[in-house]
Amino acid sequence: MTPHTGYIIAAYAFAAVTVISLIVWSLLDHRAQRRALADLEARLGPEAAKPNRGKK
Amino acid sequence: MIALANPARFSAIAEKILPWLAGATAVLFAIGLWQGFFVAPADYQQGETVRIMFIHVPSAWLSMFGWTMMSIASLGVLVWRHPLADVAAQAAAPLGAAFTLIALVTGSLWGRPMWGTWWVWDARLTSVLVLFLMYLGVMALRAALDEPSRAAKLVAILTLVGFVNIPIVKFSVDWWNTLHQGASVFRVDGPTIHPAILVPLLINALAFTLLFLTLHLLLMRTELMRRRLRGLRLRAAESGA
């Protein structure tokens, strides 16, 4: 323990909380979009699963 | 690059790469943290607080890396009209903001014991704060606009204008008299840091960079799904499904 241990712990804790929050948010958003897309594609049928190439 | 221009192909390639990138990131973080806490010695001037540098410096580098990546992507939006450019720019913004925030907060936690103050309005600290506000600004602008192609163009213009701040952040310590110390790694005459501290710093920098790239790929895939979802909903609404 040094007089500056508190600053070091606070810095690593802040970085860890920020990075973990970023990872969790990224994964949850990814999972939510994947589920929503799968649900909609299932509802619309096989035609919807094809890539949208725009209207001709 | 041409193959990657197809969003579906990009997404498939990214899906294969992501587990490897995530694994490499975890391994490098484990090595970096072990080196940073148990191998690197205390600095002769900073003492144990040098360990804050192992997260502060990589975050500060990534704060500039993120905006530079967004600026290149913005050129892709405005000049080359690459189909993935706006997706790349959009995915990089929250990551850049998060790492800029880490750089600001950890810098402040280092500054209090070393400089005797949490904050000074010197050119380096102020320009990084401006960079953080710019990240928030582009995210707010995108969120405020309903029309995606218009949002992409306006955000790209704002991003390219904001790129002016990147050399200001980088060279602020050379151009002005700042409390923040000058560059000590990327110098013409080589790094001024002892290898015992430089090696853990570079390992942590690589770990942070891989984390950024991993999350960037993941967020790009998510955004492609969101856009496809939006497109399908529109098609469904038009056809009355």
Side-chain angles (χ1 to χ4, degrees), chain B residues 19 24-25 52:
Chain B
T25 303
I52 296 176

Side-chain angles (χ1 to χ4, degrees), chain B:
Chain B
M1 285 302 286
I2 292 168
L4 289 176
N6 180 323
R9 194 167 299 164
F10 167 83
S11 207
I13 293 169
E15 190 176 12
K16 286 179 187 163
I17 294 172
L18 268 170
W20 295 98
L21 262 180
T25 303
V27 169
L28 269 173
F29 262 114
I31 298 170
L33 287 171
W34 170 69
Q35 287 261 330
F37 276 108
F38 303 111
V39 177
D43 183 72
Y44 80 109
Q45 280 184 321
Q46 302 173 51
E48 294 291 339
T49 58
V50 72
R51 302 190 199 287
I52 296 176
M53 290 297 112
F54 299 138
I55 48 175
H56 170 73
V57 175
S59 302
W61 286 346
L62 285 177
S63 69
M64 290 186 284
F65 176 76
W67 197 275
T68 304
M69 181 186 263
M70 283 167 53
S71 299
I72 294 167
S74 296
L75 281 176
V77 172
L78 297 173
V79 181
W80 304 300
R81 300 179 193 278
H82 194 286
L84 290 172
D86 184 51
V87 176
Q90 186 173 356
L95 301 175
F99 285 109
T100 309
L101 183 63
I102 292 174
L104 285 168
V105 172
T106 56
S108 186
L109 285 162
W110 180 89
R112 183 69 184 92
M114 290 297 103
W115 294 340
T117 181
W118 297 102
W119 182 264
V120 284
W121 292 99
D122 83 355
R124 170 59 69 83
L125 275 68
T126 306
S127 57
V128 174
L129 178 63
V130 168
L131 180 60
F132 176 64
L133 296 176
M134 280 165 29
Y135 274 118
L136 298 186
V138 292
M139 287 191 286
L141 177 62
R142 192 183 288 278
L145 296 169
D146 288 331
E147 217 274 291
S149 62
R150 187 161 168 259
K153 280 180 191 165
L154 288 176
V155 167
I157 291 167
L158 182 62
T159 303
L160 287 173
V161 171
F163 186 74
V164 169
N165 191 41
I166 296 300
I168 294 175
V169 171
K170 169 71 182 141
F171 297 111
S172 54
V173 289
D174 303 319
W175 293 343
W176 293 284
N177 184 22
T178 58
L179 184 58
H180 195 286
Q181 59 271 45
S184 49
V185 178
F186 297 114
R187 293 165 55 98
V188 177
D189 54 350
T192 56
I193 304 175
H194 191 277
I197 290 173
L198 181 63
V199 170
L201 177 64
L202 293 179
I203 292 171
N204 278 294
L206 193 56
F208 270 80
T209 306
L210 279 186
L211 174 67
F212 188 105
L213 295 175
T214 304
L215 290 176
H216 188 244
L217 272 185
L218 181 67
L219 289 178
M220 279 184 74
R221 284 198 71 216
T222 307
E223 183 54 30
L224 285 172
M225 285 180 192
R226 198 185 332 269
R227 291 180 184 203
R228 176 156 168 72
L229 196 58
R230 195 186 303 134
L232 282 178
R233 280 179 178 149
L234 278 173
R235 274 164 62 184
E238 283 169 1
S239 64

